């Protein structure tokens, strides 16, 4: 897909007439287009597209659709349907009423392209920049930073699930790349033991039998790793992501003692920021804050808090769930300074009532 920037014109006359007739007092999308404009411009995404290929959907429009998705919590399919059917969104995007829109898959391709080029913050930064230019953000004003949790979109594994599922994930990845290598030596009983997700059968394992079961899983995983590291085994298999995760999790949960593989006591596992909790999301960890615990990540949000100005989010930093809020102050300042948004006063959110405005509490 190639980018062929075109000059952004005015809202088509018929679209404007019908939209204003249906919304005589306007709505948020009509006001957004009238007051702030299109926010984005195709030239701001030029580095994300090759010079040749089929013309891409205008990225400035896709950026606005991403904002609509966030505001209304729409799936890609719902957002594409809204572009086809809603005149207020056609007004925002400057489309004719008869415009058929685009296939919903275009949105995921657009996001993937931004991630691939490490431009996932671009929409947010351009939006804040435009709001600052139009005077909605006070220069060298007051800002405050607080953090909240992000839940990982994966199953939260009990150890009886984690270890066999990690081995199963590695076996599946190897089977996709080189099934004949596995067929040459894998014991027949492995197929029965790891043919399905362990959570489907975990309840059948009695508590007193769990340690014996996990030691068996440990021996199986250790045998797989030994075979992988034998001379003559393809290095492609050794460096598969799930194989590397298997190796790390086995180091964390098992140890050798007098020639026997032993299961570590779960109370002496590595620190929370190092312990892997899922084979499918190795960066997700256990976080705790204010008596609340979760499995995933932590996001640090900075917002303006000047009287008589709208409260605008100016910086978003996503970190490990175990990262201390205090350790994030300097990275937040550096990011704000890079974008010329450094405040005169930096505050923390109220720790007593978690309010959005000053209440006199520290």
């Amino acid at each position: 897909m190639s980018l062929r920037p075109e000059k952004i014109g005015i809202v088509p006359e018929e679209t404007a007439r019908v939209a204003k007739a249906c919304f005589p007092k306007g709505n948020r999308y009509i006001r957004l287009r009238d007051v702030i404009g299109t926010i984005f411009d195709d030239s701001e995404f030029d580095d994300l597209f090759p010079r040749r290929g089929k013309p891409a959907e205008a990225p400035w429009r896709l950026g606005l659709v991403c904002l609509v998705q966030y505001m209304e919590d729409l799936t890609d399919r719902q957002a594409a349907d809204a572009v086809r059917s809603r005149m207020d969104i056609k007004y925002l995007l400057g489309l004719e009423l008869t415009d058929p829109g685009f296939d919903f898959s275009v949105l995921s391709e657009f996001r993937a392209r931004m991630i691939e080029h490490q431009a996932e913050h671009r929409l947010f930064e351009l939006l804040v920049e435009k709001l600052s230019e139009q005077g909605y953000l006070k220069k060298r004003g007051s800002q405050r930073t607080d953090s909240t949790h992000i839940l990982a979109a994966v199953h939260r594994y009990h150890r009886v699930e984690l270890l066999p599922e990690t081995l199963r994930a590695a076996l599946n990845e190897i089977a996709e790349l080189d099934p004949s290598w596995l067929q040459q030596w894998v014991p027949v009983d492995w197929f029965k033991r790891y043919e399905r997700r362990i959570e489907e059968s975990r309840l059948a394992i009695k508590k007193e039998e769990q340690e014996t079961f996990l030691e068996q899983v440990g021996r199986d995983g250790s045998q797989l790793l030994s075979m992988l590291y034998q001379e003559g085994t393809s290095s492609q298999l050794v460096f598969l992501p799930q194989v590397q995760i298997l190796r790390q999790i086995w180091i964390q949960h098992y140890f050798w003692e007098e020639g026997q593989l032993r299961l570590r006591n779960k109370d002496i596992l590595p620190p929370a920021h190092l312990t892997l909790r899922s084979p499918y999301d190795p960066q997700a960890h256990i976080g705790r804050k204010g008596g609340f615990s979760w499995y995933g990540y932590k996001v640090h949000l900075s917002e303006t808090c000047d009287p008589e100005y709208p409260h605008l989010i100016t910086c978003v930093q996503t970190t490990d769930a175990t990262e201390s809020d205090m350790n994030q102050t300097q990275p937040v300042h550096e990011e704000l300074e890079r974008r010329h948004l450094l405040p005169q006063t930096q505050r923390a959110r109220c720790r007593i009532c978690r309010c959005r405005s000053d209440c006199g509490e520290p």
Side-chain angles (χ1 to χ4, degrees), residues 225-292:
L225 291 170
S226 296
M227 296 297 293
L228 285 166
Y229 282 92
Q230 281 187 354
E231 186 177 351
T233 301
S234 171
S235 60
Q236 282 186 296
L237 298 181
V238 173
F239 291 104
L240 287 172
Q242 293 295 345
V243 170
Q244 290 301 305
I245 290 173
L246 171 69
R247 186 180 65 84
Q248 293 178 60
I249 289 180
W250 253 235
I251 290 172
Q252 293 179 353
H253 288 269
Y254 295 99
F255 68 99
W256 288 94
E257 183 181 58
E258 297 180 354
Q260 296 293 321
L261 189 69
R262 305 294 186 191
L263 183 67
R264 294 186 190 275
N265 188 312
K266 61 182 179 181
D267 295 329
I268 58 172
L269 294 178
H273 70 283
L274 296 177
T275 302
L276 302 187
R277 307 284 180 172
S278 168
Y280 304 113
D281 192 347
Q283 295 179 315
H285 295 107
I286 298 294
R288 294 179 176 85
K289 182 177 180 181
F292 175 72

Side-chain angles (χ1 to χ4, degrees), residues 167 190 194 211-226 250 254 256 260-262:
L167 177 53
W190 281 30
Y194 306 112
E211 185 170 338
T212 300
F213 170 70
L214 292 179
E215 288 182 349
Q216 178 62 60
V217 172
R219 289 191 291 271
D220 293 346
S222 181
Q223 182 180 357
L224 173 61
L225 291 170
S226 296
W250 253 235
Y254 295 99
W256 288 94
Q260 296 293 321
L261 189 69
R262 305 294 186 191

Side-chain angles (χ1 to χ4, degrees), residues 41-59:
D41 186 272
D42 283 348
S43 61
E44 294 163 331
F45 303 91
D46 187 59
D47 59 313
L48 307 184
F49 294 84
R51 299 298 179 185
R52 296 182 179 180
K54 182 180 177 181
E57 192 71 34

Side-chain angles (χ1 to χ4, degrees), residues 171-188:
L171 289 169
N172 283 339
E173 192 173 40
I174 293 170
E176 290 181 4
L177 183 63
D178 193 347
S180 61
W181 182 82
L182 282 177
Q183 293 170 353
Q184 291 173 9
W185 67 271
V186 166
V188 175

Side-chain angles (χ1 to χ4, degrees), residues 107-267:
L107 290 168
S108 62
E109 293 171 359
F110 178 60
R111 293 193 301 271
R113 187 179 296 276
M114 288 197 292
I115 293 172
E116 180 184 353
H117 290 80
Q118 299 181 334
E120 57 269 24
H121 286 175
R122 187 165 301 182
L123 296 180
F124 170 71
E125 292 179 355
L126 290 171
L127 174 59
V128 174
E129 181 181 336
K130 179 60 68 71
L131 293 172
S132 178
E133 290 174 354
Q134 297 196 9
Y136 293 101
L137 192 153
K138 183 179 179 180
K139 298 293 185 182
R140 299 294 290 179
S142 296
Q143 295 186 35
R144 54 190 164 206
T145 300
D146 195 13
S147 66
T148 189
H149 62 284
I150 300 178
L151 301 180
V154 291
H155 181 76
R156 184 167 178 171
Y157 289 99
H158 182 280
R159 188 151 77 149
V160 178
E161 299 171 328
L162 170 65
L163 299 177
E165 185 60 26
T166 299
L167 177 53
R168 197 181 79 91
L171 289 169
N172 283 339
E173 192 173 40
I174 293 170
E176 290 181 4
L177 183 63
D178 193 347
S180 61
W181 182 82
L182 282 177
Q183 293 170 353
Q184 291 173 9
W185 67 271
V186 166
V188 175
D189 59 343
W190 281 30
F191 293 97
K192 181 178 180 180
R193 193 175 300 149
Y194 306 112
E195 67 180 351
R196 58 177 179 164
R197 287 182 177 273
I198 191 63
E199 62 258 28
E200 298 176 12
S201 58
R202 179 170 68 86
L203 296 178
I205 304 173
K206 297 179 181 179
K207 188 172 182 180
E208 57 270 20
E209 298 174 352
Q210 289 180 2
E211 185 170 338
T212 300
F213 170 70
L214 292 179
E215 288 182 349
Q216 178 62 60
V217 172
R219 289 191 291 271
D220 293 346
S222 181
Q223 182 180 357
L224 173 61
L225 291 170
S226 296
M227 296 297 293
L228 285 166
Y229 282 92
Q230 281 187 354
E231 186 177 351
T233 301
S234 171
S235 60
Q236 282 186 296
L237 298 181
V238 173
F239 291 104
L240 287 172
Q242 293 295 345
V243 170
Q244 290 301 305
I245 290 173
L246 171 69
R247 186 180 65 84
Q248 293 178 60
I249 289 180
W250 253 235
I251 290 172
Q252 293 179 353
H253 288 269
Y254 295 99
F255 68 99
W256 288 94
E257 183 181 58
E258 297 180 354
Q260 296 293 321
L261 189 69
R262 305 294 186 191
L263 183 67
R264 294 186 190 275
N265 188 312
K266 61 182 179 181
D267 295 329

Side-chain angles (χ1 to χ4, degrees), residues 29-48:
Y29 299 125
I30 292 175
R31 288 194 295 271
L32 178 61
R33 178 65 191 251
D34 289 344
V35 177
I36 302 180
T38 62
I39 302 176
F40 311 117
D41 186 272
D42 283 348
S43 61
E44 294 163 331
F45 303 91
D46 187 59
D47 59 313
L48 307 184

